[in-house]
Coordinates of all heavy atoms in Angstrom, one line a residue:
M1 N -219.6 -122.9 275.3 CA -219.9 -124.0 274.3 C -220.9 -123.5 273.3 O -221.9 -123.0 273.7 CB -220.4 -125.2 275.1 CG -220.3 -126.5 274.2 SD -221.1 -127.9 275.1 CE -220.1 -127.8 276.7
A2 N -220.5 -123.6 272.1 CA -221.4 -123.0 271.0 C -222.6 -124.0 270.9 O -222.6 -125.1 271.2 CB -220.6 -123.0 269.7
E3 N -223.7 -123.4 270.4 CA -224.9 -124.2 270.1 C -224.6 -125.2 269.1 O -224.0 -125.0 268.1 CB -226.0 -123.2 269.6 CG -227.4 -123.9 269.5 CD -227.9 -124.5 270.8 OE1 -227.6 -124.0 271.9 OE2 -228.7 -125.5 270.7
A4 N -225.0 -126.5 269.4 CA -224.7 -127.6 268.5 C -225.5 -127.4 267.2 O -226.7 -127.0 267.2 CB -225.1 -128.9 269.1
A5 N -224.9 -127.7 266.1 CA -225.6 -127.6 264.8 C -226.3 -128.9 264.4 O -227.4 -128.9 263.8 CB -224.6 -127.3 263.7
K6 N -225.7 -130.0 264.8 CA -226.4 -131.3 264.6 C -226.1 -132.3 265.7 O -225.1 -132.3 266.2 CB -226.1 -131.8 263.2 CG -224.7 -132.3 263.1 CD -224.5 -132.9 261.7 CE -223.0 -133.3 261.6 NZ -222.5 -133.7 260.3
W7 N -227.2 -133.1 265.9 CA -227.0 -134.2 267.0 C -226.8 -135.5 266.3 O -227.4 -135.9 265.3 CB -228.3 -134.2 267.8 CG -228.4 -132.9 268.6 CD1 -229.1 -131.8 268.3 CD2 -227.9 -132.7 269.9 NE1 -229.0 -130.9 269.3 CE2 -228.3 -131.4 270.3 CE3 -227.2 -133.5 270.8 CZ2 -227.9 -130.9 271.6 CZ3 -226.9 -133.0 272.1 CH2 -227.2 -131.7 272.4
V8 N -225.8 -136.2 266.9 CA -225.4 -137.5 266.3 C -225.4 -138.6 267.4 O -224.9 -138.3 268.5 CB -224.0 -137.4 265.7 CG1 -223.5 -138.7 265.2 CG2 -223.9 -136.3 264.7
R9 N -226.0 -139.7 267.1 CA -226.0 -140.9 268.0 C -224.6 -141.4 268.1 O -224.0 -141.8 267.1 CB -227.0 -141.9 267.6 CG -227.0 -143.1 268.6 CD -227.8 -144.3 268.0 NE -227.9 -145.4 269.0 CZ -227.0 -146.3 269.2 NH1 -225.8 -146.2 268.6 NH2 -227.2 -147.2 270.1
V10 N -224.0 -141.5 269.3 CA -222.7 -142.0 269.5 C -222.6 -143.3 270.3 O -221.6 -144.0 270.3 CB -221.7 -141.0 270.1 CG1 -221.4 -139.9 269.1 CG2 -222.3 -140.4 271.4
A11 N -223.7 -143.6 271.0 CA -223.6 -144.8 271.8 C -225.0 -145.2 272.3 O -226.0 -144.4 272.2 CB -222.7 -144.6 273.1
G12 N -225.2 -146.4 272.8 CA -226.4 -146.8 273.5 C -226.2 -146.6 274.9 O -225.1 -146.7 275.4
V13 N -227.2 -146.2 275.6 CA -227.1 -146.0 277.1 C -226.5 -147.1 277.8 O -225.6 -147.0 278.7 CB -228.5 -145.6 277.7 CG1 -228.5 -145.6 279.2 CG2 -229.0 -144.3 277.1
K14 N -226.9 -148.4 277.4 CA -226.4 -149.6 278.1 C -225.0 -149.9 277.7 O -224.4 -150.8 278.3 CB -227.4 -150.7 277.8 CG -228.7 -150.5 278.5 CD -229.5 -151.8 278.5 CE -230.7 -151.5 279.4 NZ -231.9 -152.4 279.0
Q15 N -224.5 -149.3 276.7 CA -223.1 -149.6 276.2 C -222.0 -149.1 277.2 O -220.9 -149.6 277.2 CB -222.9 -148.9 274.9 CG -222.5 -149.8 273.8 CD -222.3 -149.0 272.5 OE1 -223.2 -148.2 272.1 NE2 -221.2 -149.1 271.8
V16 N -222.3 -148.1 278.0 CA -221.3 -147.4 278.8 C -221.8 -147.4 280.2 O -222.7 -146.6 280.6 CB -221.0 -146.0 278.3 CG1 -219.7 -145.5 279.0 CG2 -220.9 -145.9 276.8
A17 N -221.2 -148.2 281.1 CA -221.7 -148.3 282.5 C -221.2 -147.0 283.2 O -220.3 -146.3 282.7 CB -221.1 -149.5 283.2
E18 N -221.8 -146.7 284.3 CA -221.4 -145.6 285.1 C -219.9 -145.8 285.6 O -219.5 -146.9 286.0 CB -222.3 -145.4 286.3 CG -223.7 -144.9 285.9 CD -224.7 -144.8 287.0 OE1 -224.3 -145.1 288.2 OE2 -225.8 -144.5 286.7
G19 N -219.1 -144.7 285.4 CA -217.7 -144.8 285.8 C -216.9 -145.3 284.6 O -215.7 -145.6 284.8
E20 N -217.5 -145.4 283.4 CA -216.7 -145.9 282.3 C -216.7 -144.9 281.1 O -217.5 -144.0 281.1 CB -217.2 -147.2 281.8 CG -216.9 -148.3 282.9 CD -217.2 -149.7 282.4 OE1 -217.6 -149.9 281.3 OE2 -216.9 -150.6 283.2
M21 N -215.8 -145.1 280.2 CA -215.7 -144.2 279.0 C -215.8 -145.1 277.7 O -215.5 -146.3 277.8 CB -214.3 -143.5 279.0 CG -214.0 -142.8 280.2 SD -212.4 -141.9 280.0 CE -211.2 -143.2 280.4
L22 N -216.2 -144.5 276.6 CA -216.2 -145.2 275.4 C -215.5 -144.3 274.3 O -215.8 -143.1 274.2 CB -217.7 -145.4 275.0 CG -217.9 -146.0 273.6 CD1 -217.7 -147.5 273.7 CD2 -219.3 -145.7 273.1
A23 N -214.7 -144.9 273.5 CA -214.0 -144.2 272.4 C -214.9 -144.3 271.2 O -215.3 -145.4 270.8 CB -212.6 -144.8 272.1
T24 N -215.2 -143.2 270.5 CA -216.0 -143.3 269.3 C -215.5 -142.2 268.4 O -214.6 -141.4 268.7 CB -217.5 -143.1 269.7 OG1 -218.3 -143.3 268.5 CG2 -217.8 -141.8 270.3
E25 N -216.2 -142.1 267.2 CA -215.8 -141.0 266.3 C -217.1 -140.4 265.8 O -218.1 -141.2 265.6 CB -215.0 -141.6 265.1 CG -213.6 -142.0 265.6 CD -212.7 -142.3 264.4 OE1 -213.0 -141.8 263.3 OE2 -211.7 -143.0 264.6
A26 N -217.1 -139.2 265.6 CA -218.3 -138.5 265.0 C -217.8 -137.2 264.3 O -217.0 -136.5 264.9 CB -219.3 -138.2 266.1
G27 N -218.4 -136.9 263.2 CA -218.0 -135.7 262.4 C -216.5 -135.6 262.2 O -215.9 -134.6 262.1
G28 N -215.8 -136.8 262.0 CA -214.4 -136.8 261.7 C -213.5 -136.6 262.9 O -212.3 -136.4 262.8
R29 N -214.1 -136.5 264.1 CA -213.3 -136.3 265.3 C -213.4 -137.5 266.2 O -214.4 -138.2 266.3 CB -213.9 -135.1 266.0 CG -214.0 -133.8 265.1 CD -214.7 -132.7 265.8 NE -213.8 -132.0 266.8 CZ -214.0 -130.8 267.2 NH1 -215.1 -130.1 266.8 NH2 -213.2 -130.2 268.0
K30 N -212.3 -137.7 267.0 CA -212.3 -138.7 268.0 C -212.9 -138.2 269.3 O -212.5 -137.1 269.7 CB -210.9 -139.2 268.2 CG -210.3 -139.9 267.0 CD -208.9 -140.5 267.3 CE -208.2 -141.0 266.1 NZ -209.0 -142.0 265.3
I31 N -213.9 -138.9 269.8 CA -214.7 -138.4 270.9 C -214.6 -139.5 272.0 O -214.7 -140.7 271.8 CB -216.1 -138.2 270.5 CG1 -216.2 -137.5 269.2 CG2 -217.0 -137.6 271.6 CD1 -216.6 -136.1 269.2
A32 N -214.5 -139.0 273.2 CA -214.7 -139.8 274.4 C -216.0 -139.6 275.0 O -216.4 -138.4 275.4 CB -213.6 -139.5 275.4
V33 N -216.9 -140.6 275.1 CA -218.2 -140.5 275.7 C -218.0 -141.0 277.1 O -217.5 -142.1 277.3 CB -219.2 -141.3 274.9 CG1 -220.6 -141.2 275.6 CG2 -219.3 -140.8 273.5
I34 N -218.4 -140.2 278.1 CA -218.1 -140.6 279.5 C -219.4 -140.6 280.3 O -220.2 -139.7 280.2 CB -217.2 -139.5 280.1 CG1 -215.9 -139.5 279.3 CG2 -217.0 -139.8 281.6 CD1 -215.2 -138.2 279.2
H35 N -219.6 -141.7 281.0 CA -220.7 -141.9 281.9 C -220.2 -141.8 283.3 O -219.6 -142.6 283.8 CB -221.4 -143.3 281.6 CG -222.8 -143.4 282.2 ND1 -223.5 -144.5 282.0 CD2 -223.6 -142.5 282.8 CE1 -224.7 -144.3 282.6 NE2 -224.8 -143.1 283.1
L36 N -220.5 -140.6 283.9 CA -220.0 -140.4 285.2 C -220.7 -141.2 286.3 O -221.8 -141.7 286.1 CB -220.2 -138.9 285.5 CG -219.3 -138.0 284.7 CD1 -219.9 -136.6 284.6 CD2 -217.9 -138.0 285.2
E37 N -220.0 -141.3 287.4 CA -220.5 -142.2 288.5 C -221.8 -141.7 289.0 O -222.6 -142.6 289.6 CB -219.4 -142.4 289.6 CG -218.4 -143.4 289.2 CD -217.2 -143.4 290.0 OE1 -217.2 -142.6 291.1 OE2 -216.2 -144.0 289.7
N38 N -222.1 -140.5 288.9 CA -223.4 -140.0 289.4 C -224.5 -140.1 288.4 O -225.6 -139.6 288.6 CB -223.3 -138.5 289.9 CG -223.1 -137.5 288.8 OD1 -222.9 -137.9 287.6 ND2 -223.1 -136.3 289.1
G39 N -224.2 -140.7 287.2 CA -225.2 -140.9 286.2 C -225.2 -139.9 285.1 O -225.8 -140.0 284.1
D40 N -224.5 -138.7 285.3 CA -224.4 -137.7 284.3 C -223.5 -138.2 283.1 O -222.7 -139.2 283.2 CB -223.7 -136.5 284.8 CG -224.5 -135.7 285.8 OD1 -225.7 -136.0 285.9 OD2 -224.0 -134.7 286.4
W41 N -223.7 -137.6 281.9 CA -223.0 -137.9 280.7 C -222.1 -136.7 280.3 O -222.5 -135.6 280.6 CB -223.9 -138.3 279.6 CG -224.6 -139.6 279.8 CD1 -225.8 -139.8 280.5 CD2 -224.2 -140.9 279.3 NE1 -226.1 -141.1 280.5 CE2 -225.2 -141.8 279.8 CE3 -223.2 -141.4 278.6 CZ2 -225.1 -143.2 279.5 CZ3 -223.1 -142.7 278.3 CH2 -224.1 -143.6 278.7
S42 N -221.0 -137.0 279.7 CA -220.2 -136.0 279.2 C -219.5 -136.5 277.9 O -219.4 -137.7 277.7 CB -219.1 -135.6 280.3 OG -218.2 -134.7 279.8
A43 N -219.1 -135.5 277.0 CA -218.3 -135.9 275.8 C -217.2 -134.9 275.6 O -217.5 -133.7 275.7 CB -219.3 -136.0 274.6
I44 N -216.0 -135.4 275.4 CA -214.9 -134.5 275.2 C -214.1 -135.1 274.0 O -214.2 -136.2 273.6 CB -214.0 -134.4 276.4 CG1 -213.4 -135.7 276.8 CG2 -214.7 -133.7 277.6 CD1 -212.4 -135.7 277.9
E45 N -213.3 -134.2 273.4 CA -212.3 -134.7 272.4 C -211.5 -135.8 273.0 O -211.0 -135.6 274.2 CB -211.4 -133.5 272.0 CG -210.6 -133.7 270.7 CD -211.2 -133.1 269.5 OE1 -211.6 -131.9 269.6 OE2 -211.3 -133.8 268.5
N46 N -211.3 -136.8 272.3 CA -210.6 -138.0 272.9 C -209.0 -137.9 272.8 O -208.3 -138.7 273.4 CB -211.0 -139.3 272.3 CG -210.7 -140.5 273.1 OD1 -210.3 -140.4 274.3 ND2 -210.9 -141.7 272.6
V47 N -208.5 -136.9 272.0 CA -207.1 -136.8 271.8 C -206.5 -135.8 272.8 O -206.9 -134.7 272.8 CB -206.8 -136.5 270.3 CG1 -205.3 -136.4 270.1 CG2 -207.4 -137.5 269.4
C48 N -205.5 -136.2 273.5 CA -204.8 -135.3 274.5 C -204.2 -134.2 273.7 O -203.8 -134.3 272.6 CB -203.7 -136.1 275.2 SG -202.9 -135.2 276.5
T49 N -204.2 -133.0 274.4 CA -203.7 -131.8 273.7 C -202.2 -131.7 273.9 O -201.6 -130.7 273.4 CB -204.4 -130.5 274.3 OG1 -204.2 -130.5 275.7 CG2 -205.8 -130.5 274.0
H50 N -201.6 -132.6 274.6 CA -200.1 -132.5 274.8 C -199.3 -133.2 273.7 O -198.6 -132.6 273.0 CB -199.8 -133.2 276.2 CG -198.3 -133.2 276.5 ND1 -197.7 -134.3 276.8 CD2 -197.4 -132.2 276.5 CE1 -196.4 -134.0 277.1 NE2 -196.2 -132.7 276.9
A51 N -199.5 -134.5 273.6 CA -198.9 -135.2 272.4 C -200.1 -136.1 271.9 O -201.2 -135.8 272.1 CB -197.7 -136.0 272.9
Y52 N -199.8 -137.3 271.3 CA -200.9 -138.1 270.8 C -201.2 -139.2 271.7 O -200.4 -140.2 271.8 CB -200.6 -138.6 269.4 CG -201.9 -139.2 268.8 CD1 -202.8 -138.4 268.2 CD2 -202.2 -140.5 269.0 CE1 -204.0 -138.9 267.7 CE2 -203.4 -141.1 268.6 CZ -204.3 -140.3 267.9 OH -205.4 -140.8 267.5
A53 N -202.3 -139.2 272.4 CA -202.7 -140.3 273.2 C -204.2 -140.2 273.3 O -204.8 -139.1 273.2 CB -202.2 -140.3 274.6
L54 N -204.9 -141.3 273.3 CA -206.4 -141.3 273.5 C -206.7 -141.3 275.0 O -206.2 -142.2 275.7 CB -207.0 -142.6 272.8 CG -206.8 -142.6 271.3 CD1 -207.5 -143.9 270.8 CD2 -207.4 -141.4 270.7
L55 N -207.5 -140.4 275.4 CA -207.8 -140.3 276.8 C -208.6 -141.5 277.3 O -208.5 -141.9 278.5 CB -208.6 -139.0 277.1 CG -207.8 -137.7 276.7 CD1 -208.6 -136.5 276.9 CD2 -206.5 -137.6 277.6
T56 N -209.3 -142.1 276.4 CA -210.1 -143.3 276.8 C -209.1 -144.5 277.1 O -209.6 -145.5 277.7 CB -211.1 -143.8 275.7 OG1 -210.4 -143.8 274.5 CG2 -212.3 -142.9 275.7
D57 N -207.9 -144.4 276.8 CA -206.9 -145.4 277.2 C -206.3 -145.1 278.6 O -205.5 -145.8 279.1 CB -205.7 -145.5 276.2 CG -206.1 -146.1 274.9 OD1 -207.1 -146.8 274.9 OD2 -205.5 -145.8 273.8
G58 N -206.7 -143.9 279.1 CA -206.3 -143.5 280.4 C -207.3 -143.9 281.5 O -208.0 -144.9 281.4
W59 N -207.3 -143.1 282.6 CA -208.1 -143.5 283.7 C -209.1 -142.4 284.1 O -208.7 -141.3 284.3 CB -207.2 -143.8 284.9 CG -206.3 -144.9 284.5 CD1 -206.5 -146.3 284.6 CD2 -205.0 -144.8 283.9 NE1 -205.4 -147.0 284.1 CE2 -204.5 -146.1 283.7 CE3 -204.2 -143.7 283.5 CZ2 -203.2 -146.3 283.1 CZ3 -203.0 -143.9 282.9 CH2 -202.5 -145.2 282.7
L60 N -210.3 -142.9 284.3 CA -211.4 -141.9 284.8 C -211.4 -142.0 286.3 O -211.4 -143.0 286.9 CB -212.7 -142.4 284.2 CG -213.9 -141.5 284.5 CD1 -213.8 -140.1 283.9 CD2 -215.2 -142.2 284.0
D61 N -211.3 -140.8 286.9 CA -211.3 -140.7 288.4 C -212.3 -139.6 288.8 O -211.9 -138.4 288.7 CB -209.9 -140.5 288.9 CG -209.8 -140.4 290.4 OD1 -210.8 -140.8 291.0 OD2 -208.9 -139.8 290.9
G62 N -213.5 -140.0 289.1 CA -214.5 -138.9 289.4 C -214.8 -138.1 288.2 O -215.2 -138.6 287.2
D63 N -214.5 -136.8 288.3 CA -214.8 -135.9 287.2 C -213.6 -135.6 286.4 O -213.6 -134.7 285.6 CB -215.3 -134.5 287.7 CG -216.8 -134.7 288.2 OD1 -217.4 -135.8 288.1 OD2 -217.4 -133.6 288.6
S64 N -212.5 -136.3 286.5 CA -211.3 -136.1 285.7 C -210.8 -137.4 285.1 O -211.1 -138.5 285.5 CB -210.2 -135.4 286.6 OG -209.7 -136.3 287.5
V65 N -210.1 -137.1 284.0 CA -209.5 -138.3 283.3 C -208.0 -138.0 283.2 O -207.5 -136.9 283.0 CB -210.1 -138.4 281.8 CG1 -209.9 -137.2 281.0 CG2 -209.6 -139.7 281.2
E66 N -207.2 -139.1 283.4 CA -205.8 -139.0 283.4 C -205.3 -139.6 282.1 O -205.6 -140.7 281.7 CB -205.2 -139.7 284.6 CG -203.6 -139.7 284.6 CD -203.1 -140.3 285.8 OE1 -203.7 -140.3 286.9 OE2 -202.0 -141.0 285.7
C67 N -204.5 -138.8 281.4 CA -203.9 -139.3 280.1 C -202.9 -140.4 280.4 O -202.1 -140.4 281.3 CB -203.2 -138.1 279.4 SG -202.3 -138.6 277.9
P68 N -203.0 -141.5 279.5 CA -202.1 -142.7 279.8 C -200.6 -142.4 279.5 O -199.8 -143.1 280.0 CB -202.7 -143.7 278.8 CG -203.3 -142.9 277.7 CD -203.8 -141.7 278.3
L69 N -200.3 -141.3 278.8 CA -198.9 -141.2 278.3 C -198.1 -140.4 279.3 O -197.0 -140.9 279.7 CB -198.9 -140.4 277.0 CG -197.8 -140.8 276.0 CD1 -197.7 -142.3 275.9 CD2 -198.1 -140.2 274.7
H70 N -198.5 -139.2 279.8 CA -197.7 -138.4 280.7 C -198.4 -138.0 281.9 O -198.0 -137.0 282.6 CB -197.0 -137.2 280.0 CG -196.4 -137.6 278.7 ND1 -196.9 -137.2 277.5 CD2 -195.3 -138.2 278.4 CE1 -196.1 -137.6 276.5 NE2 -195.1 -138.3 277.0
A71 N -199.6 -138.6 282.1 CA -200.4 -138.3 283.4 C -201.0 -136.9 283.5 O -201.3 -136.4 284.5 CB -199.6 -138.6 284.6
G72 N -201.1 -136.2 282.3 CA -201.9 -135.0 282.3 C -203.3 -135.3 282.7 O -203.8 -136.4 282.4
R73 N -204.0 -134.3 283.3 CA -205.4 -134.6 283.6 C -206.3 -133.5 283.1 O -206.0 -132.3 283.0 CB -205.6 -134.6 285.2 CG -204.8 -135.7 285.8 CD -204.9 -135.6 287.3 NE -206.2 -136.1 287.7 CZ -206.5 -137.4 288.0 NH1 -205.5 -138.3 288.0 NH2 -207.7 -137.8 288.4
F74 N -207.6 -133.9 282.7 CA -208.6 -133.0 282.2 C -209.8 -133.2 283.0 O -210.2 -134.3 283.4 CB -208.9 -133.3 280.7 CG -207.7 -133.1 279.8 CD1 -206.9 -134.2 279.5 CD2 -207.5 -131.8 279.2 CE1 -205.8 -134.0 278.6 CE2 -206.4 -131.7 278.4 CZ -205.6 -132.7 278.1
D75 N -210.6 -132.1 283.2 CA -211.9 -132.1 283.8 C -212.8 -132.6 282.7 O -212.9 -132.0 281.6 CB -212.3 -130.7 284.3 CG -213.6 -130.7 285.0 OD1 -214.6 -131.3 284.4 OD2 -213.7 -130.1 286.1
V76 N -213.5 -133.7 282.9 CA -214.4 -134.3 281.8 C -215.7 -133.5 281.6 O -216.4 -133.7 280.6 CB -214.7 -135.8 282.0 CG1 -213.4 -136.6 282.0 CG2 -215.4 -136.0 283.3
R77 N -216.0 -132.6 282.6 CA -217.2 -131.8 282.4 C -216.9 -130.6 281.6 O -217.7 -130.1 280.8 CB -217.8 -131.4 283.7 CG -218.4 -132.6 284.5 CD -218.9 -132.1 285.8 NE -219.4 -133.2 286.7 CZ -220.7 -133.7 286.6 NH1 -221.5 -133.2 285.7 NH2 -221.0 -134.7 287.4
T78 N -215.8 -130.0 281.8 CA -215.5 -128.7 281.2 C -214.4 -128.8 280.1 O -214.2 -127.8 279.4 CB -215.0 -127.7 282.3 OG1 -213.7 -128.2 282.8 CG2 -216.0 -127.5 283.4
G79 N -213.6 -129.9 280.1 CA -212.5 -130.0 279.2 C -211.2 -129.3 279.7 O -210.2 -129.4 279.0
K80 N -211.3 -128.7 280.8 CA -210.2 -127.9 281.3 C -209.0 -128.8 281.6 O -209.1 -129.8 282.2 CB -210.7 -127.2 282.6 CG -209.8 -126.1 283.0 CD -210.4 -125.1 283.9 CE -209.5 -124.0 284.4 NZ -208.7 -123.5 283.4
A81 N -207.8 -128.3 281.2 CA -206.5 -128.9 281.5 C -206.3 -128.6 283.0 O -206.3 -127.5 283.4 CB -205.4 -128.4 280.6
L82 N -206.0 -129.7 283.8 CA -205.9 -129.5 285.2 C -204.5 -129.5 285.8 O -204.2 -129.0 286.8 CB -206.7 -130.6 285.9 CG -208.2 -130.7 285.7 CD1 -208.8 -131.9 286.3 CD2 -208.8 -129.4 286.2
C83 N -203.5 -130.2 285.1 CA -202.2 -130.2 285.6 C -201.2 -130.5 284.5 O -201.5 -131.0 283.4 CB -202.0 -131.2 286.7 SG -202.2 -132.9 286.1
A84 N -199.9 -130.1 284.8 CA -198.8 -130.3 283.8 C -198.7 -131.8 283.5 O -199.0 -132.6 284.4 CB -197.5 -129.8 284.4
P85 N -198.3 -132.2 282.3 CA -197.8 -131.3 281.2 C -198.9 -130.7 280.3 O -198.6 -130.0 279.3 CB -196.9 -132.2 280.5 CG -197.6 -133.5 280.5 CD -198.2 -133.6 281.9
V86 N -200.2 -130.9 280.6 CA -201.2 -130.4 279.7 C -201.5 -128.9 280.1 O -201.7 -128.7 281.3 CB -202.5 -131.2 279.6 CG1 -202.1 -132.6 279.0 CG2 -203.1 -131.4 281.0
D87 N -201.6 -128.0 279.1 CA -202.0 -126.7 279.5 C -203.0 -126.1 278.5 O -203.4 -125.0 278.5 CB -200.8 -125.7 279.5 CG -200.0 -125.7 278.2 OD1 -200.5 -126.3 277.2 OD2 -198.9 -125.1 278.2
E88 N -203.4 -127.0 277.6 CA -204.5 -126.6 276.6 C -205.7 -127.5 276.8 O -205.6 -128.7 276.9 CB -204.0 -126.8 275.2 CG -204.8 -126.2 274.1 CD -204.3 -126.5 272.7 OE1 -203.0 -126.6 272.6 OE2 -205.1 -126.7 271.8
D89 N -206.9 -126.9 277.0 CA -208.1 -127.6 277.2 C -208.5 -128.5 276.0 O -208.1 -128.2 274.9 CB -209.3 -126.7 277.5 CG -209.0 -125.7 278.7 OD1 -208.0 -126.0 279.4 OD2 -209.8 -124.8 278.8
V90 N -209.3 -129.6 276.3 CA -209.8 -130.3 275.2 C -211.2 -129.8 274.9 O -211.9 -129.2 275.8 CB -209.9 -131.9 275.5 CG1 -208.6 -132.5 275.4 CG2 -210.6 -132.1 276.8
A91 N -211.7 -130.0 273.7 CA -213.0 -129.6 273.3 C -214.1 -130.4 274.0 O -213.8 -131.6 274.4 CB -213.2 -129.7 271.8
T92 N -215.2 -129.8 274.3 CA -216.3 -130.6 274.9 C -217.5 -130.5 273.9 O -217.6 -129.6 273.1 CB -216.8 -129.9 276.3 OG1 -217.2 -128.6 276.0 CG2 -215.6 -130.0 277.3
F93 N -218.4 -131.4 274.1 CA -219.6 -131.5 273.3 C -220.8 -131.7 274.1 O -220.8 -132.4 275.1 CB -219.5 -132.7 272.3 CG -218.2 -132.7 271.5 CD1 -217.1 -133.3 271.9 CD2 -218.2 -132.0 270.3 CE1 -215.9 -133.3 271.2 CE2 -217.0 -131.9 269.5 CZ -215.9 -132.6 270.0
P94 N -221.9 -131.0 273.8 CA -223.1 -131.3 274.6 C -223.6 -132.7 274.4 O -223.5 -133.2 273.3 CB -224.1 -130.2 274.0 CG -223.6 -129.9 272.7 CD -222.1 -130.1 272.7
V95 N -224.2 -133.2 275.4 CA -224.7 -134.6 275.4 C -226.2 -134.6 275.7 O -226.7 -133.9 276.6 CB -224.0 -135.5 276.4 CG1 -224.6 -137.0 276.3 CG2 -222.5 -135.5 276.2
R96 N -227.0 -135.4 275.0 CA -228.4 -135.6 275.2 C -228.7 -137.1 275.2 O -228.2 -137.8 274.4 CB -229.1 -134.9 274.1 CG -230.5 -134.6 274.3 CD -230.9 -133.4 273.4 NE -231.3 -133.8 272.0 CZ -231.6 -133.0 271.1 NH1 -231.5 -131.7 271.3 NH2 -231.9 -133.4 269.9
V97 N -229.5 -137.5 276.2 CA -229.9 -138.9 276.2 C -231.4 -138.9 275.7 O -232.2 -138.2 276.3 CB -229.8 -139.5 277.6 CG1 -230.4 -141.0 277.6 CG2 -228.3 -139.6 278.0
E98 N -231.6 -139.7 274.7 CA -233.0 -139.8 274.2 C -233.4 -141.3 274.2 O -232.9 -142.1 273.3 CB -233.1 -139.3 272.7 CG -233.2 -137.8 272.7 CD -233.3 -137.2 271.3 OE1 -233.5 -138.0 270.3 OE2 -233.3 -136.0 271.2
G99 N -234.2 -141.7 275.1 CA -234.5 -143.1 275.2 C -233.3 -144.0 275.5 O -232.6 -143.7 276.5
A100 N -233.0 -144.9 274.6 CA -231.8 -145.8 274.8 C -230.6 -145.2 274.1 O -229.5 -145.9 274.1 CB -232.1 -147.1 274.3
D101 N -230.6 -144.0 273.6 CA -229.5 -143.5 272.8 C -228.8 -142.3 273.4 O -229.5 -141.5 274.0 CB -230.0 -143.0 271.4 CG -230.6 -144.2 270.6 OD1 -230.1 -145.3 270.7 OD2 -231.6 -143.9 269.9
V102 N -227.5 -142.3 273.2 CA -226.7 -141.1 273.7 C -226.3 -140.3 272.4 O -225.7 -140.9 271.5 CB -225.5 -141.6 274.5 CG1 -224.7 -140.4 274.9 CG2 -225.8 -142.5 275.6
L103 N -226.7 -139.1 272.4 CA -226.4 -138.2 271.3 C -225.4 -137.1 271.7 O -225.5 -136.6 272.9 CB -227.6 -137.6 270.7 CG -228.7 -138.5 270.0 CD1 -229.5 -139.3 271.0 CD2 -229.6 -137.6 269.2
I104 N -224.6 -136.7 270.8 CA -223.8 -135.5 271.1 C -224.0 -134.5 270.0 O -224.4 -134.8 268.9 CB -222.3 -135.8 271.2 CG1 -221.7 -136.2 269.8 CG2 -222.0 -136.8 272.3 CD1 -220.2 -136.1 269.8
G105 N -223.9 -133.2 270.4 CA -224.1 -132.1 269.5 C -222.7 -131.7 268.9 O -221.8 -131.5 269.6
L106 N -222.7 -131.7 267.5 CA -221.5 -131.3 266.8 C -221.6 -129.9 266.3 O -222.7 -129.6 265.7 CB -221.2 -132.3 265.7 CG -220.8 -133.7 266.1 CD1 -220.7 -134.6 264.8 CD2 -219.5 -133.7 266.8
P107 N -220.6 -129.1 266.4 CA -220.7 -127.8 265.7 C -220.6 -127.9 264.2 O -220.2 -129.0 263.7 CB -219.4 -127.1 266.3 CG -218.5 -128.2 266.6 CD -219.3 -129.4 267.0
D108 N -220.9 -126.9 263.5 CA -220.8 -126.9 262.0 C -219.4 -127.1 261.6 O -218.4 -126.6 262.2 CB -221.3 -125.5 261.5 CG -222.7 -125.6 261.0 OD1 -223.2 -126.8 260.8 OD2 -223.4 -124.6 261.0
Ligands
FES201 S1 -199.9 -137.0 275.7 FE1 -201.3 -136.6 277.2 S2 -200.1 -135.8 278.9 FE2 -198.6 -136.1 277.2

């Protein structure tokens, strides 16, 4: 993951319960902000790399998200494509929690 060029607030900590995802946009990209069940945060590109579907319309299961359209799965920590029909990873973004705010790092 490249060093982030700028940090952008994408959510409030209380906006996303553990085990839930939030669809947002930053830097002209669709982003899924994910609050994992163990309290960790993650952010990935929200658009599936297979066809067009928003991953936040799918299902979060532990550390993976299932696409609502054809059931492809991605690791929400690494963005890695886990099973057919997806074979291209989604982008990931660094996440930082500052007080009540969730920020993600966007590349240039
Ligand atoms: S659009 Fe996501 S698996 Fe096909």
